Amino acid sequence: MLATFIVVCRESLEATLVVVILLAYLRRIGQADKYRYIYLGVVAALAACLVFARISAYLEGLFEGAGEEIFQASIIALAVVVVTTMVIWMHRQAGSLRASLEGQAALAIERGQVLSLALLAALAVFREGCETVLFLWGLAMSSTASTGEMLGAGAAGAAAAVVMGYLLFLGAARLNLKMFFEVTAAALLLIAAGMLAQAANKLIGVGVLPAIVGQVWNSAWLLDERRPLGSIAAMLLGYRSRPSLMEVAVYILYFPPVLFLMWHTSNGKRASARMQTR
Amino acid sequence: MRSKAPLLTLFLASISALAIVLGCPVGVAADDSIKELQFRDGHFEPSTLTISANAPVKLRVKNTAANPIEFESFELNRERVVPPGQVITVFLPALSPGTYHFFDDFHRDVPQGTLIVK
């Protein structure tokens, strides 16, 4: 539940930031009458995300038995790859978002292509929305949270992000965004490692992967996933009280390559040339 | 300029370790013992299964009910949906002696089943 909140809040804030930067730019250059194109883009993208979510639900219904487990493990792994890539990329990219967005918006207005403004907003919202759908899909399959709980936590996360975005737009708040992105990045990587271990667990259950050692330890007496504290650890850290060696290995081995890619060449050598939306 | 060599070594080492771990042959041979479990009329049958320790087991779970069930066990770290009229195979690694409970997560009022490992 907490994991859902973090995922939705972070993804929504990324999308909201793009919208806020575009709106603030239009306001600054005295083109506030063009706000509606931004809103149009946002609404269209949200509709497209719902279609994507609907398709994913349909796809899952096609599988049964061992096939379903393998399909779920693949989706979880895909979600982990997408989110990890996003976190690494954001980490390397930090800082150049605003300038490149404003440049693109200026170009659109100069050429009289106001629909490009809608497109700028729509692309950002659609990308973050698809990431959210994919990650939540993986999360739903690798945890025991109910749909209702996830919907509630997701709505709260989106609301929190929109409020933060609105305060930024009003200039009422100076949020420490760098801090926000660093903390949520750490949380997302821990959640992703736990999901990857859960994908391994599914594959072990259908005999595709070996457990190597069935149960490396049993810490249920100390921290039980069925109790509140244990379930929080399970959601946020991927904690398992009775993991197999394969799950532990997958969890641990996930980090070195990811951290390497985050810190390697992160010195801004090549960040400036990109014309991306964040 | 700081050397990136240690980082790169760590990177390559962990990728290779992951490849080795994921590539190991599945430790469950074809002739592993198979245990049958049925779900019918709101209960597991038999309600207690006994297996020997330190040998992998394939648990075949058949759902003869009209609704899907979810075979779940915290102790065994397993969770699988069984559609009505279908059989699934749950791979269990060698377990240490003890008592392991399982239940139907879709119908929590169904009595728990027990797997005894000795």
Side-chain angles (χ1 to χ4, degrees), chain A residues 187-199:
Chain A
L188 287 182
L189 292 185
L190 288 169
I191 294 169
M195 284 167 64
L196 209 53
Q198 197 54 33

Side-chain angles (χ1 to χ4, degrees), chain A residues 57-101:
Chain A
Y58 169 75
L59 274 181
E60 193 179 353
L62 297 179
F63 295 88
E64 275 186 349
E68 183 181 7
E69 296 294 301
I70 295 169
F71 175 73
Q72 291 191 349
S74 319
I75 294 293
I76 295 170
L78 180 64
V80 167
V81 168
V82 167
V83 167
T84 306
T85 312
M86 181 273 282
V87 168
I88 292 172
W89 189 70
M90 276 293 280
H91 180 83
R92 290 173 158 194
Q93 192 71 10
S96 59
L97 164 70
R98 185 172 153 162
S100 78
L101 264 181

Side-chain angles (χ1 to χ4, degrees), chain A residues 64 69 201 204-205 226, chain B residues 21 74 77-78 80 86 91:
Chain A
E64 275 186 349
E69 296 294 301
N201 173 280
I204 296 166
R226 282 168 285 185
Chain B
V21 167
F74 286 103
N77 209 357
R78 291 288 179 271
R80 291 280 298 280
Q86 304 229 357
F91 286 69

Side-chain angles (χ1 to χ4, degrees), chain A residues 215 218 220 226 242, chain B residues 47-51 53 73-77 95-102 112-118:
Chain A
Q215 188 174 300
N218 183 348
R226 282 168 285 185
R242 304 170 185 85
Chain B
S47 60
T48 304
L49 283 169
T50 307
I51 60 171
S73 169
F74 286 103
E75 284 99 337
L76 296 169
N77 209 357
L95 297 163
S96 42
T99 306
Y100 301 77
H101 298 284
F102 51 85
Q112 285 200 346
T114 311
L115 181 72
I116 296 171
V117 180
K118 43 182 171 189

Side-chain angles (χ1 to χ4, degrees), chain A residues 234-245:
Chain A
M235 275 187 298
L236 292 186
L237 307 173
Y239 167 77
R240 292 291 176 273
S241 57
R242 304 170 185 85
S244 65
L245 181 55

Side-chain angles (χ1 to χ4, degrees), chain A:
Chain A
M1 227 163 81
L2 200 50
T4 307
F5 178 83
I6 293 173
V7 169
V8 176
C9 185
R10 154 123 186 184
E11 299 284 354
S12 307
L13 190 66
E14 283 179 29
T16 308
L17 275 181
V18 170
V19 173
V20 165
I21 288 173
L22 289 172
L23 290 177
Y25 176 71
L26 290 178
R27 181 178 58 187
R28 202 170 72 228
I29 62 169
Q31 303 261 13
D33 58 317
K34 295 201 170 59
Y35 280 2
R36 61 178 187 278
Y37 293 105
I38 308 288
Y39 298 141
L40 176 72
V42 170
V43 171
L46 286 177
C49 290
L50 286 179
V51 172
F52 178 62
R54 190 70 199 78
I55 292 172
S56 63
Y58 169 75
L59 274 181
E60 193 179 353
L62 297 179
F63 295 88
E64 275 186 349
E68 183 181 7
E69 296 294 301
I70 295 169
F71 175 73
Q72 291 191 349
S74 319
I75 294 293
I76 295 170
L78 180 64
V80 167
V81 168
V82 167
V83 167
T84 306
T85 312
M86 181 273 282
V87 168
I88 292 172
W89 189 70
M90 276 293 280
H91 180 83
R92 290 173 158 194
Q93 192 71 10
S96 59
L97 164 70
R98 185 172 153 162
S100 78
L101 264 181
E102 290 189 351
Q104 292 176 56
L107 204 62
I109 292 172
E110 197 181 296
R111 293 184 180 163
Q113 298 164 334
V114 280
L115 278 180
S116 302
L117 286 175
L119 193 63
L120 272 180
L123 282 179
V125 173
F126 184 63
R127 179 174 56 199
E128 305 304 339
C130 287
E131 279 174 22
T132 310
V133 169
L134 189 58
F135 204 42
L136 290 188
W137 192 13
L139 206 56
M141 292 187 298
S142 62
S143 80
T144 51
S146 74
T147 315
E149 284 172 349
M150 286 188 71
L151 277 178
V162 171
V163 168
M164 279 192 268
Y166 187 61
L167 290 176
L168 280 172
F169 178 67
L170 291 180
R174 282 223 144 304
L175 297 183
N176 190 342
L177 286 178
K178 186 166 187 283
M179 173 99 139
F180 175 86
F181 281 119
E182 275 172 7
V183 170
T184 52
L188 287 182
L189 292 185
L190 288 169
I191 294 169
M195 284 167 64
L196 209 53
Q198 197 54 33
N201 173 280
K202 285 184 181 295
L203 295 180
I204 296 166
V206 292
V208 172
L209 278 184
I212 312 177
V213 175
Q215 188 174 300
V216 191
W217 69 72
N218 183 348
S219 52
W221 57 275
L222 182 65
L223 194 56
D224 189 331
E225 297 105 312
R226 282 168 285 185
R227 302 247 157 74
L229 202 59
S231 78
I232 291 175
M235 275 187 298
L236 292 186
L237 307 173
Y239 167 77
R240 292 291 176 273
S241 57
R242 304 170 185 85
S244 65
L245 181 55
M246 174 62 89
E247 288 162 82
V248 176
V250 166
Y251 186 93
I252 292 174
L253 292 175
Y254 165 79
F255 288 102
V258 171
L259 295 179
F260 172 79
L261 289 173
M262 273 181 95
W263 301 116
H264 183 68
T265 68
S266 70
N267 306 333
K269 269 181 276 181
R270 5 120 298 150
S272 54
R274 292 218 175 164
M275 288 289 280
Q276 296 285 355
T277 51
R278 57 180 181 188

